Every structure is written in structure tokens, then in C-alpha cells.
Amino acid sequence: MQAEKDTFGFPFGVDTAGHVLASGGDEAIRGKIIQVLFTAPGERVNMPTFGCGLFNLVFEPNNSILASAMEFTVGQALTRWLADDIIVNGVDVKSEEETITIEIAYTRKTDLSKKLVRIHFK
């Protein structure tokens, strides 16, 4: 069994003793997924193509076309930026009135466990 590496906590934090907070396992993967989703391309100076531009799509009309565009965009970005950590099994976007729900099914490469992340936008 492969040992998990600790990464900086997300969001970045420092404990009361002045040590950098670390996270590992599911929490670290979830943090990485959130970073990819909520970072717009061009936002990071040293990685200008990082992210998926999800917030650019949020202001579009909430319909099946938007849901399909989000599924494609999120799936491609996660596959590109987190290929060392996860296998993206599927992205499902549901749009209902003012709410968009994104479900990301993935397999962790370290132990081949299947996981799901769900994010809601209102």
C-alpha cells in the first residue's frame, strides 16, 4: 500500500503553534478539485491555463445546454489537471430553476477507491 503524501491544507492555514496545516486523503483531493473548478484560466500568473472557468458559465441561462457545457468543461479540466491523483469516472450537472448541482464521480489512484463530490450553486 502506498503512503499518502500530506499537502498544504485548503484553504491554506496556520495552527496556533505557527505550523502550516496539512491535509491528506479525501480532504486533499476535494481541495484540489475545488481549486480546479473555482480558478479561472489566466488567474494564476505562473500557470495561466490552470482552471476551468466554471464561474464564466454560471451567468449563462440555466438550461440543458449549460449543463452539457459544464459537464464537458469540468470533466476536461479535472482530467487535465488532476490526472496524477484521480480518474474522472463521470461528471453530472443538474439544473433546476436557480440551482445548479455538479456531481463528480472519481477513482483515487492511490487505493482505487471510488468517491463522489457534489457542489451546489444558487
Side-chain angles (χ1 to χ4, degrees):
M1 186 161 147
Q2 192 175 23
E4 292 259 352
K5 293 181 182 178
D6 283 341
T7 59
F8 292 122
F10 178 80
F12 184 80
V14 179
D15 65 15
T16 56
H19 301 108
V20 173
L21 296 174
S23 64
D26 294 335
E27 184 181 340
I29 297 289
R30 186 179 190 292
K32 289 178 181 182
I33 289 171
I34 290 171
Q35 285 178 350
V36 171
L37 295 183
F38 295 161
T39 302
E43 190 174 331
R44 290 191 175 185
V45 176
N46 293 327
M47 294 178 69
T49 59
F50 181 83
C52 78
L54 185 63
F55 284 136
N56 294 339
L57 298 174
V58 171
F59 297 105
E60 297 296 324
N62 190 6
N63 55 31
S64 62
I65 296 170
L66 174 66
S68 296
M70 286 180 130
E71 286 175 2
F72 178 78
T73 301
V74 169
Q76 291 295 308
L78 292 175
T79 299
R80 178 178 182 188
W81 295 110
L82 300 182
D84 292 341
D85 299 315
I86 65 172
I87 299 166
V88 179
N89 299 327
V91 177
D92 185 37
V93 177
K94 294 181 177 108
S95 60
E96 298 175 6
E97 298 179 13
E98 298 104 26
T99 303
I100 296 173
T101 302
I102 302 173
E103 290 184 354
I104 302 159
Y106 66 92
T107 302
R108 287 180 38 187
K109 286 192 171 181
T110 56
D111 61 4
L112 299 179
S113 62
K114 296 189 183 303
K115 304 290 180 179
L116 180 74
V117 172
R118 186 174 295 126
I119 299 168
H120 302 280
F121 291 99
K122 285 191 175 195

